[in-house]
Amino acid sequence: MMKKTMKRVLPLTLCGIVAISGCSGSSKSVSGSGDGSVEPDPNKTYDITYTGQWCFSDYEDGSFAEKMIEDALNINITVEKAETADTIDLLLASGEMPDCMWTERKTPSWMQEQELIRTIPRSMVEKYCPQILEYYEANPLIYKMVLNPENEDEFICLAGLTFQFVDYYLPGDFYRYDWIENLGIDLGVDVEQVSDRLYVASDGIELSKFIEIMDAFVNKDPDGNGQNDTLGAAAPDWGISQIGQFYSAYGFTRDINDVDGRAEQSYAMEEYKEFLKGFQDLYARNLLDPEIISNDRTLAWDKVNTGAAGYWLSSTNTLNSWAMDRPPLTLLDRDPDAKILATPGLKPDGGQVQAVVNPTPAYGKFYVNANVDDEKLAKILEFFNYTIFGAGDQETMAKLMFGEKDVDWKWDESGKIPVKINKLNSGDKGTWSFSQFGQTELVTKWVGEEELFQAGGKYWSKGQDGTWLKWQHRPYKADLANETGYEKIFQEISGDLDAYVASYRTQAILGQVDVDATWGDYLKELDRLGYNRMMDELEKIPSLEEMIEEYEK
């Protein structure tokens, strides 16, 4: 955390850092007056178009949460719906966007280059949503993500919040512990029963032990039904963070790694080559789900829920009811005999678990359309503030997350914790649709520390000095302020690069290529596609740890 004496000069300091690093060109965002004097007309009802999380095609127009916001702020909200998040990408690519929106998929530089967004005067943020600045001051790296590098008095966008990704150890994998007990497998780590059917391992599982478990799950009838019908590791979604548990078994993380002082993506590392060779062998031995290369994680969920698979990648926060559509909750609900073991991941024999943690609690980015004037911007900032901090009361925040009081939830005996009556899916009644990216410490605890999760909090919660947290590390580098050409090159090459990496991974795991023999050609193709040109840009900035140390001086 920064020392108080630096707080007010931080934006200027960041601007200087960006200028020194060679940032050039001018922002294409539309700028406002910036004096903070503009106010919305109290007698006017403002029409605001919006999209965010859970605003898909099945979103209910005029939902409970939408109506509550409209009544509180005297606005009419039109939610622009999409079949999938890709639909929003297509909308933006066509040069269109609603008045305001939340997204994690588009960077500020891309939105600026497309001339889709306007800048947001700091003075107006101070006036209409000052609380958000308190979080930015306490976590100064957020300024590098949202501040206009060419004008210290403007934001390109605003960041939301969640403490799920900084105050908790989320990477984790799950095993059918009743299967392990049936087979009499010694895991080589201490295991504690923390609730009726949830067990927690004190450490990661060594790779050789993981292979032993998968072999037993496939070949030794772990469910005792006398049939050879069980699988080992269920298919992950290769595009999400949980895949890091597999990488951890080979001594690296899924994010940007420090390789002898140079930033490297996981898929270009020698350790990644060993991972591919290892999983090629596991696949050949039938110890992995035949659909292991699939990107459809619902296939894995179904196999776990039906008792076909005994191991899957997930996260510890899926022990909370927001994840009731997937295991482990669905499995526990369907099979009263099922027991679950949570572990912090896999580790090399004799090594340690490798997990990544976000550098800040920033969550999502809130953009405002370039055609919005200052008067409407003031109303949009009121909307932004309301969806994150409510009306200054906890009840409003609870309604935005959980629905109608005394219908969908009620206060517990302390009057401080909402207890669900109806376990709504995210998006039902507009819940989460406006507030997904507004999870203060309080809301993070509401949604992320339900009874089953709390039972293992001594392992994965910072509030309980979680013992797993020591294995988390920030990414080595991240160009949070777009000080280099990294993001521009990434946007240019990512389609072809991602497709090639995925294709090679598939061929390797399926045994269609000799990894040792083709690895050199693989690296040459990465280079041809622009990988080294992209990563050279990160050499122009310090590591995240060095940035933090600079702020703390």
Side-chain angles (χ1 to χ4, degrees), residues 123-136:
S123 59
M124 294 185 71
V125 178
E126 291 175 339
K127 182 173 184 176
Y128 293 106
C129 35
Q131 284 176 276
I132 198 67
L133 294 182
E134 295 177 11
Y135 285 97
Y136 295 178

Side-chain angles (χ1 to χ4, degrees), residues 160-181:
L161 300 166
T162 184
F163 288 82
Q164 286 193 58
F165 306 128
V166 293
D167 282 358
Y168 305 96
Y169 186 102
L170 294 189
D173 45 6
F174 291 90
Y175 297 76
R176 284 290 298 268
Y177 192 59
D178 51 317
W179 288 12
I180 291 172
E181 287 184 321

Side-chain angles (χ1 to χ4, degrees), residues 276-293:
L276 292 177
K277 291 163 58 179
F279 268 58
Q280 184 180 89
D281 178 66
L282 292 178
Y283 187 85
R285 294 168 57 186
N286 198 35
L287 302 187
L288 305 176
D289 180 352
E291 295 181 288
I292 193 71
I293 60 171

